[in-house]
Every structure is written in structure tokens, then in C-alpha cells.
Amino acid sequence: MVNITPGKAYGFFTDTSVCIGCKACEVACKEWNLLQGNPPVFGDGYDNTGSLDAQNWRHVKFIDNVPDETTVAGQGKAWLMMSDVCKHCQQASCMEACPTGAIIRTEFDTVFIQPNVCNGCRDCIAACPYDVIGIDENRGVVQKCTLCYDRLQGGLEPACAKACPTESIMFGSVEELRATARRRVSDLHDQGITQARLYGEDDKVYGGLNAFFLLMDEPEKYKLPNAENAVLPRRNNLGGYLGVLGTAILAVVGGLVALRRRRQPAVATPKGPEPTADAASAGPPAPAPEPRTETETGDER
């Protein structure tokens, strides 16, 4: 039993090498958080959940890693299984993108969305590099894993970790979990399982993840960004932001020039000479004489 103390950082260490794909974590998460879930849809594998979203805060991935043609059973390869969840990043891009301050960091160093502050703008959905956030169409707010914030406040471990039968999902203080993870990967390497590696336990990926993993292959196989690609949107798009800044400066300069022109006095239009008093009193000009006929001029014959 973990002694949960406010002010310390807590999270998950998920050891994918012992995940059996039972989905007990998914069920426990939905039951505790009253998530309705989505209708199950099977594709070409065993995954009936699809992805993380507003109704699935835990998602067990099934990745066929076995070659189609083998000389021996699997050539030492096995299916990759991974219970995916919100990473509760130290550099949380969803928190940076939120315009209302609805996304906060709790006293347990977890990333939490306040539903009564969220306006449903979906900026965080676009910003999240792990696609863990979804919109609840009924409530009009976004949702994701809270790391069972209400259970932590009551001194209880998250429901998914409690339900995991193989302890693939471990809950505890981040500092202690990191030490456990490093011992575990060292043991696997000693057993000749050299492909085992840790993901997110250090600050190379978004400043460190409070929910990190032991993987049995490269991060890309699990559809996770590697350390080279794990950069915040604002850092990754520096050129685009400079372009926007330049356009804004030009717009401001153009506005100031237009304003200055509006404030300048108008140039007077030249006028003709003013009429004299005699011309004004003379009345309207006399009509032009009508043309005379031949009879009137005396030329009649």
C-alpha cells in the first residue's frame, strides 16, 4: 500500500513485458470513473477499443510484431502489448494551449482538467502529442485520465493499477518508480533481452513523463514519438511563429500610416473668382438672339 502524501509527484510505471492484454485496467477505469465507453468495434486484430478518447482513459494496444514467414516459432518475436494512458507530462503542451486555465497541475504533480472551467474549445486535443484527450459530446467538455485524482485525495491508488493482475501497471512516487524501472530493465538485459528499454523516465521526452513505460521495441512501434521528435509545438514551429510575428508588425505599421493620413488636413480645392456686386445685381444673363429668316433680312424676292 502506497502512502500518498500531497506535495510529492506520483505516477505510473507500465512494464509492457508482463502485460497479457486482459483489459482489466480498461474495465476498472470505466467502472470507477463512470465512463460509458464506445460500442466495441473489431478491426483486423484483437483491439476493440481503438484509441484513447473521452470514453477510454486506458487503452490496451495489441501490436502484431511476429513476421508473416518464420523459420522457427516467431523467430523469437512476440506480440507487443501496452496499456496506454495519459503521460502527465512535465512539459504538458495541453496545459500551455488551454485558453481558460482549465488544465492544472495538482498537488500530486498530475495533469488534471477542471470540467467546470473547460469551454470545450478543443485546443488541448490538437496540442497533445499522444492523442489522449477527447471531447464528451454530451457535456461539451474534454476528458482524459485524471490518475484517479479523487482516489488519491482519499489515500487510494488508481483503479487501473489496483486491478492489474500481473502488476504491469505500477503506481507510486515517480522517484521510486524510476528506480524500480531501471532495476527491471537491467535485469532483462542480464537475461539477454537487449531490446528492452525505458521510455519517458528521464527528461528527454517532454521534460519527463509521470506515466512512463518499459518497452520491448522502439517507441515508433508503439506509435510513440521518440526523443528527437518529442518537442513542444511552440518550439517545433519557431519559423512559423516568426512569420506570424513579421506579418503582425507589418499590419501594425500599415495601420499607423493609414491613421496618420486620416489626421492630415485635407488640401483645399481651387475655386474660381468670386462674382462682383454689379454682376450679382445685374440679374440673369439676356437670352441669345434667335436666328433671323430671309424675309426678315430683306432678301425676299
Side-chain angles (χ1 to χ4, degrees), residues 181-251:
R182 288 162 184 158
R183 287 195 301 268
R184 172 62 178 163
V185 76
S186 179
D187 291 342
L188 290 175
H189 287 173
D190 291 342
Q191 298 173 29
I193 308 176
T194 56
Q195 68 270 26
R197 69 200 71 193
L198 296 179
Y199 178 84
E201 94 289 356
D202 55 22
D203 60 359
K204 295 179 181 178
V205 179
Y206 300 110
L209 309 180
N210 281 14
F212 56 93
F213 302 82
L214 185 153
L215 305 179
M216 298 301 290
D217 211 320
E218 297 177 353
E220 294 85 346
K221 286 289 185 70
Y222 298 85
K223 297 183 179 180
L224 299 172
N226 57 29
E228 289 74 19
N229 295 321
V231 291
L232 290 174
R234 60 182 175 84
R235 296 181 181 179
N236 199 32
N237 297 321
L238 180 59
Y241 281 100
L242 289 177
V244 172
L245 179 61
T247 303
I249 292 174
L250 291 176

Side-chain angles (χ1 to χ4, degrees), residues 46-92:
Y46 296 100
D47 184 0
N48 66 340
T49 304
S51 63
L52 293 167
D53 56 32
Q55 297 297 324
N56 297 284
W57 298 357
R58 271 279 179 186
H59 168 224
V60 178
K61 294 182 178 181
F62 294 84
I63 303 168
D64 186 354
N65 200 37
V66 180
D68 293 334
E69 297 180 3
T70 60
T71 55
V72 295
Q75 291 185 344
K77 293 282 187 176
W79 277 56
L80 302 177
M81 298 181 186
M82 169 187 171
S83 181
D84 199 9
V85 71
C86 172
K87 316 306 182 289
H88 297 272
C89 313
Q90 285 298 311
Q91 295 174 352

Side-chain angles (χ1 to χ4, degrees), residues 26-27 29-38 53-58 136 139 143-145:
E26 287 192 18
V27 175
C29 177
K30 287 184 173 65
E31 286 186 347
W32 179 261
N33 294 291
L34 302 177
L35 301 175
Q36 295 181 356
N38 303 319
D53 56 32
Q55 297 297 324
N56 297 284
W57 298 357
R58 271 279 179 186
D136 184 343
R139 302 171 60 199
Q143 297 183 156
K144 70 170 191 65
C145 163

